[in-house]
Amino acid sequence: MSYIAENVKAVRTRIEQAAKRSGRDVKYIKLIAVTKTVDINRIKEAVEAGLKIFGENRVQEAQKKVTSYELRVTSGKIEWHFIGHLQTNKVKDVVGSFELIHAVDSLRLSEEIDRQAKKRGIVQDILIEVKLSEEESKYGITEEELLPLIESVSKFNNIKLLGLMAIPPFFDDAEKTRPYFKRLRELRDEAVKNGFNLPELSMGMSHDFETAIEEGATMVRIGTAIFGERK
Ligand SMILES: *Cc1c(COP(=O)(O)O)cnc(C)c1O
């Protein structure tokens, strides 16, 4: 077995155990393999190991992989997610090529996504990125601005809002991240009480995904634990 296949197996086991601990059904937890800096050959190994959803955070690097002929012929059906910060002028390169855009954090950005999706005659699935701490995360909408943004985005015809995403501050001790994951879930629950249907919570990375699952993550974004340290 390749080291990637072994890592995928180990990560899946940890996801299952975290789901079990928190009384959740593992089928509602999607593993998104983060492939930034990872080359096509290693992505192919991940596909062979059974992974189906891949995440990229830079437009240029992502496009090469999404359009890779080599990957398409070997992979069958895989799904790409755009997980990084998206600039308005890059929206046209992302809409339609990625099943889900994880980190939408302004009205201006969602307007452009809606406009580009309309041009292509599609509905683009998105998540809203929430900034849960003052200093640590650069991007994301504040808690106060979240509900107004959800209301605005829900009016667009060519966007489907599926949920929320966050990148909490990094702690060596993953337990310290728990309040942030919990907070994102509470914000989602508040939005649901206000009549919005937001099933997805994209939260948790290599060092803290088990805590995120215990707090309700439906998508975990994992790079290092599958592909090893990035250079
Ligand atoms: C790189 C990245 C990840 C994965 O990080 P790891 O620690 O390698 O698992 C997850 N989410 C986003 C937005 C990233 O940029």
Side-chain angles (χ1 to χ4, degrees):
M1 220 197 293
S2 78
Y3 79 92
I4 290 174
E6 269 171 31
N7 287 347
V8 168
K9 199 173 159 211
V11 166
R12 284 213 186 281
T13 304
R14 288 168 63 190
I15 290 174
E16 278 161 25
Q17 285 167 347
K20 209 177 212 173
R21 271 201 300 283
S22 43
R24 299 188 54 206
D25 188 335
V26 75
K27 81 171 181 229
Y28 297 112
I29 303 162
K30 294 193 190 93
L31 169 55
I32 296 156
V34 177
T35 50
K36 60 190 181 207
T37 77
V38 176
D39 62 29
I40 303 277
N41 280 332
R42 289 200 290 155
I43 299 175
K44 261 166 47 182
E45 281 185 38
V47 172
E48 278 154 20
L51 294 185
K52 297 220 152 41
I53 313 176
F54 295 88
E56 281 281 334
N57 70 338
R58 286 192 201 89
V59 176
Q60 236 193 337
E61 185 186 345
Q63 273 180 321
K64 281 191 205 123
K65 295 173 187 175
V66 173
T67 58
S68 158
Y69 176 72
E70 203 186 348
L71 206 52
R72 260 185 299 156
V73 290
T74 43
S75 69
K77 190 152 172 51
I78 60 172
E79 197 175 301
W80 288 95
H81 290 190
F82 195 81
I83 61 171
H85 176 66
L86 182 57
Q87 289 170 306
T88 310
N89 63 349
K90 298 274 172 64
V91 167
K92 59 180 183 315
D93 303 320
V94 168
V95 165
S97 312
F98 293 81
E99 262 79 4
L100 182 65
I101 300 173
H102 282 235
V104 177
D105 64 355
S106 73
L107 185 57
R108 207 168 81 96
L109 181 59
S110 32
E111 278 167 351
E112 179 62 8
I113 293 171
D114 185 62
R115 204 171 72 85
Q116 294 294 341
K118 190 173 191 167
K119 251 185 168 174
R120 290 164 179 73
I122 60 163
V123 174
Q124 176 69 56
D125 289 347
I126 70 158
L127 306 175
I128 290 176
E129 179 179 7
V130 186
K131 181 176 171 146
L132 296 170
S133 66
E134 273 316 309
E135 331 79 60
E136 315 258 358
S137 52
K138 276 184 282 186
Y139 302 113
I141 191 124
T142 63
E143 292 188 13
E144 295 72 40
E145 295 166 310
L146 176 61
L147 202 54
L149 182 61
I150 292 174
E151 279 165 5
S152 306
V153 166
S154 301
K155 291 190 186 113
F156 291 127
N157 291 323
N158 297 80
I159 286 183
K160 187 169 184 206
L161 175 62
L162 296 182
L164 306 180
M165 177 265 203
I167 308 175
F170 180 93
F171 297 103
D172 285 329
D173 176 8
E175 199 50 43
K176 294 208 170 95
T177 323
R178 187 179 298 276
Y180 295 90
F181 294 140
K182 183 165 178 275
R183 185 66 193 138
L184 194 69
R185 172 166 46 83
E186 289 168 354
L187 289 168
R188 190 273 309 273
D189 293 347
E190 276 170 37
V192 169
K193 271 192 205 129
N194 279 279
F196 298 100
N197 181 28
L198 303 176
E200 305 290 351
L201 284 177
S202 167
M203 55 187 197
M205 308 179 9
S206 290
H207 69 288
D208 58 14
F209 68 89
E210 288 148 303
T211 314
I213 289 170
E214 287 166 14
E215 294 302 329
T218 63
M219 296 180 178
V220 288
R221 310 177 308 268
I222 300 180
T224 310
I226 293 171
F227 298 104
E229 292 290 336
R230 287 180 292 274
K231 279 168 210 100

